[in-house]
């Protein structure tokens, strides 16, 4: 009997776990209402293409970013003037166009199908991440099962349940890392360019790949990366020409170094000694440990992890400058910094101490607690 390759087994396990979680969320948490995946609040205006009587609305809440992405997916070309009114910061939200646009295109403009397609895209992104990480480690038999640790990351399930674009952007980021590692410069540039149209902060990763290719003297890769920033730049110019309202939220999301982290720790220590605060502290301390672990692995195995090291350094700079707008709640920083967990997962560590497995086990406990207790 032919033994299945580890990457195929990884894929099968992922599909089984993902199917179980989707059925659990859809039928139990959201009572069979697909709009539950987008955490729609009652404070912001509802998309003109949604029926309030058949939409799951959380009363008294402002909702989460998934509500914004759903509004854009229902009208990505802003043909209905009321769509603008459903966005809290149109100029900021419209920059992240790729996820809502492909959702609209894959549904062939059928607005009834769009929420289902968006959930399906996030599911396929999880499957794609596990598959690409399996390919990333195909030359390293000792790490052939590590792609399954993707399922331990709380941000994966947070994004899936809130309908945001972070899984799509992470998939594109991981594909670009894979293409860089296996010397596919055009595909590296293409995928990181698409990633920047999903989340503009991934320009930091474009910069990390460029730095790494220059240091490693990969001239062809450096040359290809020089055009990768053009599509997101042209899209930004187009948005500016539309004169959309709102702000890009740089001042709201970022501030003086370490001030947000300081305020976060103060809020954790001053908070009540109860389950919610303990869980918040647990996940926030974990992300700190993960940053430190990535830098430690990169220091001991720099040659194998140079791209990871540069990427983590740039994300670390963003982390220390983050304000409480991002750091106040685990739903936010677990999504914004979801790539940090993937940096750790992609790190090449030849030490026998299973530090990565231990940390991902701790993350897995957080994921289980989120799925069981949130909502």
């Amino acid at each position: 009997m032919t033994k299945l390759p580890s990457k195929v087994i990884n894929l099968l396990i992922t599909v089984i776990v993902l199917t179980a979680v989707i059925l659990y969320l859809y039928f139990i948490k959201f009572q069979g209402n697909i709009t539950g995946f987008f955490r729609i609040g009652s404070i912001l205006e509802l998309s003109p293409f949604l029926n309030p009587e058949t939409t799951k609305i959380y009363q008294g809440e402002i909702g989460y970013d998934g509500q914004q992405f759903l509004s854009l997916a229902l009208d990505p070309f802003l043909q209905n003037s009321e769509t603008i009114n459903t966005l809290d910061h149109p100029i900021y939200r419209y920059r992240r166009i790729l996820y809502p646009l492909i959702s609209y295109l894959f549904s062939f403009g059928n607005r009834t199908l769009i929420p289902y397609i968006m959930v399906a895209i996030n599911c396929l992104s999880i499957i794609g991440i596990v598959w690409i990480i399996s390919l990333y480690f195909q030359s390293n038999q000792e790490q052939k099962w590590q792609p399954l640790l993707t399922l331990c990351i709380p941000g994966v399930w947070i994004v899936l349940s809130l309908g945001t674009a972070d899984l799509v952007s992470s998939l594109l980021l991981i594909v670009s890392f894979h293409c860089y590692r296996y010397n596919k410069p055009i595909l590296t540039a293409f995928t990181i360019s698409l990633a920047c149209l999903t989340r503009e902060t991934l320009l930091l990763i474009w910069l990390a790949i460029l730095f790494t290719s220059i240091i490693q003297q990969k001239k062809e890769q450096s040359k290809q990366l020089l055009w990768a920033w053009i599509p997101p730049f042209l899209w930004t110019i187009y948005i500016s020409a539309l004169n959309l309202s709102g702000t890009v939220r740089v001042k709201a999301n970022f501030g003086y170094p370490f001030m947000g982290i300081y305020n976060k720790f103060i809020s954790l220590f001053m908070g009540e000694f109860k389950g919610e605060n303990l869980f918040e502290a647990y996940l926030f301390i974990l992300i700190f440990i993960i940053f430190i672990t990535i830098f430690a692995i990169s220091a001991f195995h720099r040659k194998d992890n140079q791209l990871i090291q540069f990427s983590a350094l740039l994300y670390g700079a963003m982390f220390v400058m983050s304000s409480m707008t991002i750091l106040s709640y685990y739903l936010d920083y677990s999504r914004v910094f979801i790539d940090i967990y993937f940096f750790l997962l992609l790190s090449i560590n030849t030490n026998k101490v299973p530090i990565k497995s231990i940390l991902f086990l701790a993350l897995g406990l957080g994921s289980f607690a989120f799925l069981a207790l949130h909502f």
Side-chain angles (χ1 to χ4, degrees):
M1 185 175 180
T2 305
K3 184 179 178 180
L4 290 175
S6 59
K7 59 186 176 183
V8 175
I9 297 175
N10 290 344
L11 208 61
L12 290 174
I13 294 173
T14 300
V15 170
I16 292 170
V17 173
L18 184 57
T19 300
V21 172
I22 283 290
L23 292 175
Y24 165 72
L25 290 174
Y26 182 70
F27 288 108
I28 297 177
K29 292 296 186 179
F30 304 140
Q31 295 83 47
N33 192 326
I34 192 65
T35 59
F37 282 94
F38 302 94
R39 197 71 183 188
I40 298 171
S42 62
I43 295 176
L44 293 175
E45 289 189 36
L46 191 66
S47 168
F49 300 103
L50 290 175
N51 184 346
E53 295 183 0
T54 58
T55 300
K56 186 174 179 61
I57 298 175
Y58 292 82
Q59 296 300 323
E61 292 190 13
I62 194 169
Y64 284 96
D65 289 3
Q67 178 177 351
Q68 311 283 307
F69 283 113
L70 178 57
S71 293
L72 280 175
L74 292 167
D75 187 16
F77 306 110
L78 304 180
Q79 295 173 312
N80 190 316
S81 59
E82 293 183 26
T83 297
I84 296 293
N85 298 328
T86 68
L87 306 177
D88 54 359
H89 293 278
I91 193 171
Y92 170 71
R93 300 296 178 184
Y94 206 40
R95 288 162 68 98
R96 304 179 172 192
I97 189 60
L98 188 64
Y99 173 49
L101 179 60
I102 61 176
S103 300
Y104 180 86
L105 294 177
F106 286 168
S107 65
F108 300 101
N110 186 326
R111 292 187 170 94
T112 302
L113 289 178
I114 284 174
Y116 295 92
I117 294 296
M118 295 180 79
V119 173
I121 287 173
N122 274 338
C123 289
L124 290 173
S125 294
I126 295 172
I127 294 170
I129 287 169
V130 172
W131 179 255
I132 295 299
I133 293 177
S134 295
L135 296 178
Y136 190 87
F137 287 131
Q138 63 187 348
S139 60
N140 190 329
Q141 288 300 308
E142 292 182 1
Q143 305 195 65
K144 61 184 179 181
W145 303 113
Q146 289 201 12
L148 286 175
L149 296 178
T150 297
L151 304 178
C152 295
I153 300 172
V156 167
W157 307 114
I158 290 170
V159 172
L160 180 64
S161 63
L162 297 179
T164 60
D166 309 271
L167 283 170
V168 177
S169 65
S170 292
L171 172 62
L172 291 168
L173 179 151
I174 291 167
V175 171
S176 70
F177 277 23
H178 174 266
C179 292
Y180 182 85
R181 186 179 185 191
Y182 292 99
N183 298 311
K184 300 175 182 178
I186 295 177
L187 286 176
T188 303
F190 179 69
T191 50
I192 198 61
S193 183
L194 289 179
C196 292
L197 287 170
T198 309
R199 208 156 42 111
E200 70 283 352
T201 52
L202 288 184
L203 281 168
L204 292 174
I205 304 303
W206 167 79
L207 193 59
I209 299 175
L210 182 61
F211 280 162
T212 308
S213 61
I214 291 172
I215 290 172
Q216 295 181 346
Q217 298 183 344
K218 294 186 175 183
K219 295 181 180 179
E220 180 61 24
Q221 180 64 83
S222 302
K223 183 175 71 174
Q224 294 298 334
L225 284 167
L226 292 178
W227 63 259
W229 63 273
I230 295 177
F233 174 75
L234 292 177
W235 181 247
T236 302
I237 294 297
Y238 171 72
I239 292 173
S240 299
L242 294 178
N243 292 318
L244 297 176
S245 59
T247 63
V248 294
R249 303 189 68 184
V250 173
K251 290 183 178 179
N253 292 335
F254 303 100
Y256 293 109
F258 296 102
M259 281 302 298
I261 294 173
Y262 171 78
N263 290 329
K264 177 64 177 179
F265 275 115
I266 292 297
S267 69
L268 290 175
F269 289 128
M270 298 298 289
E272 296 181 29
F273 192 76
K274 58 182 183 179
E276 186 177 349
N277 287 340
L278 290 175
F279 184 65
E280 185 74 44
Y282 177 77
L283 288 185
F284 193 70
I285 291 170
L286 263 180
I287 197 172
F288 252 97
I289 295 172
I290 286 170
F291 266 110
I292 293 169
T293 304
I294 292 170
F295 293 137
I297 291 174
S298 298
F300 284 102
H301 307 284
R302 188 179 180 188
K303 183 179 179 181
D304 293 326
N305 297 300
Q306 205 160 41
L307 177 54
I308 300 292
Q309 184 180 42
F310 281 127
S311 299
L313 281 170
L314 291 173
Y315 261 56
M318 185 169 70
F319 183 69
V320 301
M321 296 182 69
S322 295
S323 70
M324 282 294 282
T325 303
I326 293 175
L327 301 180
S328 63
Y329 197 32
Y330 73 91
L331 290 182
D332 297 319
Y333 60 77
S334 295
R335 293 189 298 106
V336 173
F337 294 102
I338 190 173
D339 296 328
I340 284 299
Y341 308 103
F342 291 120
F343 294 161
L344 177 61
L345 186 51
L346 293 174
S347 298
I348 306 296
N349 183 20
T350 56
N351 293 334
K352 297 302 181 181
V353 179
I355 183 64
K356 286 167 63 176
S357 299
I358 293 170
L359 286 174
F360 276 98
L361 176 61
L363 288 169
L365 294 175
S367 293
F368 180 81
F370 168 76
L371 289 171
L373 303 176
H374 189 67
F375 308 105

